[in-house]
């Protein structure tokens, strides 16, 4: 069953359709998502399913090598994304009508970066969309390369190897194999949960600010009368 009814968003379909080139395809997708702004591609769920396929033997490659290649693909993607942000970022992000660099994506990523600082490079690996754009914003903001690459490597290992190993470890669990679509949907939900929380929080803060402004206006009007 295709995830969300769209085959090319279904990690199982993607990996199966690539046959013997599955690992190459996985690495290319990870690279594109991390460095070429392909935020619409599956990330966490793809790594999880890759681990499952290694456990089942469908991907006939040692798990350590799969983790290494995926991690390297993610890190290299970040290097490219950072370079793009450093060289061409301002011109790209200053286009308000851009179909890819939408202001909402940039604003959410900027807020995430401002809130968590340098460790955002690590944390953002686990947040869809944010992990795609934050690396370019780090380049745009001229984040110190040494610091950026250090955190990028740590995040790449934690995300690329961590989620793949998680899928590999659960590959023998019958419930996971029999309810893969539900498990993948749960992974997607968990991964976007930080964004949902931030949106709810932002709306509450906006309402609170509006009420405060209204109260201040009412006090002013009362005092003036």
């Amino acid at each position: 069953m295709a995830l969300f009814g769209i085959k090319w968003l279904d990690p199982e379909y993607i990996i199966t359709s690539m046959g013997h080139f599955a690992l190459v395809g996985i690495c290319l997708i990870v690279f594109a998502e991390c460095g070429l702004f392909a935020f619409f591609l599956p990330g966490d769920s793809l790594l999880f399913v890759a681990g499952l396929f290694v456990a089942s033997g469908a991907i006939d490659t040692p798990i350590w090598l799969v983790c290494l290649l995926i991690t390297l693909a993610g890190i290299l993607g970040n290097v490219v994304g950072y370079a793009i942000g450093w060289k061409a970022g301002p011109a790209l992000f200053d286009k308000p009508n851009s179909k890819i660099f939408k202001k909402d994506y940039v604003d959410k990523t900027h807020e995430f970066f401002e809130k968590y600082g340098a460790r955002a490079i690590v944390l953002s690996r686990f947040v869809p969309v944010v992990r795609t754009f934050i690396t370019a914003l780090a380049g745009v903001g001229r984040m110190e390369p040494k610091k950026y690459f250090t955190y990028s490597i740590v995040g790449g290992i934690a995300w690329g190897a961590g989620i793949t190993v998680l899928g590999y470890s659960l590959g023998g669990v019958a419930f996971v194999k029999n309810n893969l679509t539900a498990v993948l949907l749960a992974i997607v939900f968990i991964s976007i949960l930080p964004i949902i929380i931030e949106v709810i929080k932002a709306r509450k803060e906006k309402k609170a600010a509006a009420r405060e402004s209204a109260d201040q206006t009412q006090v002013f009007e009362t005092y003036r009368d």
Side-chain angles (χ1 to χ4, degrees), residues 87-103:
K87 295 290 186 181
L92 291 174
F93 287 104
D94 282 343
K95 296 180 179 179
N97 297 321
S98 173
K99 293 182 179 180
I100 297 179
F101 301 95
K102 293 184 178 180
K103 189 176 184 299

Side-chain angles (χ1 to χ4, degrees), residues 24-220:
V24 175
I26 292 168
C27 290
L28 289 176
I29 289 173
V30 170
F31 174 82
E33 191 195 11
C34 293
L36 301 179
F37 312 109
F39 61 90
F40 49 83
L41 293 174
D44 304 327
S45 56
L46 179 69
L47 302 187
F48 185 84
V49 173
L52 290 177
F53 272 54
V54 175
S56 68
I59 295 180
D60 188 20
T61 306
I63 185 63
W64 67 267
L65 182 55
V66 172
C67 290
L68 176 62
L69 293 176
I70 288 175
T71 298
L72 288 176
I75 294 172
L76 289 175
N78 271 178
V79 171
V80 172
Y82 180 83
I84 292 174
W86 186 285
K87 295 290 186 181
L92 291 174
F93 287 104
D94 282 343
K95 296 180 179 179
N97 297 321
S98 173
K99 293 182 179 180
I100 297 179
F101 301 95
K102 293 184 178 180
K103 189 176 184 299
D104 287 345
Y105 296 156
V106 178
D107 289 345
K108 286 183 175 63
T109 304
H110 183 71
E111 290 172 7
F112 193 88
F113 190 78
E114 288 295 316
K115 181 176 181 179
Y116 294 104
R119 61 197 174 112
I121 301 299
V122 176
L123 296 174
S124 65
R125 288 283 194 176
F126 299 89
V127 184
V129 178
V130 174
R131 69 167 159 259
T132 300
F133 289 95
I134 199 169
T135 181
L137 285 181
V140 173
R142 296 297 192 268
M143 182 178 180
E144 182 186 352
K146 183 178 179 180
K147 178 184 291 187
Y148 168 77
F149 291 127
T150 298
Y151 281 94
S152 178
I153 291 171
V154 173
I157 295 172
W159 179 66
I163 295 182
T164 305
V165 169
L166 178 63
Y168 178 80
S169 301
L170 296 177
V173 178
F175 176 82
V176 175
K177 291 189 293 185
N178 296 333
N179 300 276
L180 185 57
T181 299
V183 171
L184 293 180
L185 289 173
I187 291 173
V188 172
F189 175 76
I190 292 172
S191 65
I192 66 174
L193 190 58
I195 294 179
I196 296 174
I197 293 173
E198 288 299 322
V199 170
I200 295 174
K201 183 179 177 182
R203 288 183 177 178
K204 287 183 177 180
E205 290 176 350
K206 185 177 181 179
K207 289 181 179 179
R211 285 196 299 267
E212 183 178 353
S213 177
D215 291 341
Q216 290 177 350
T217 301
Q218 185 176 5
V219 170
F220 175 77

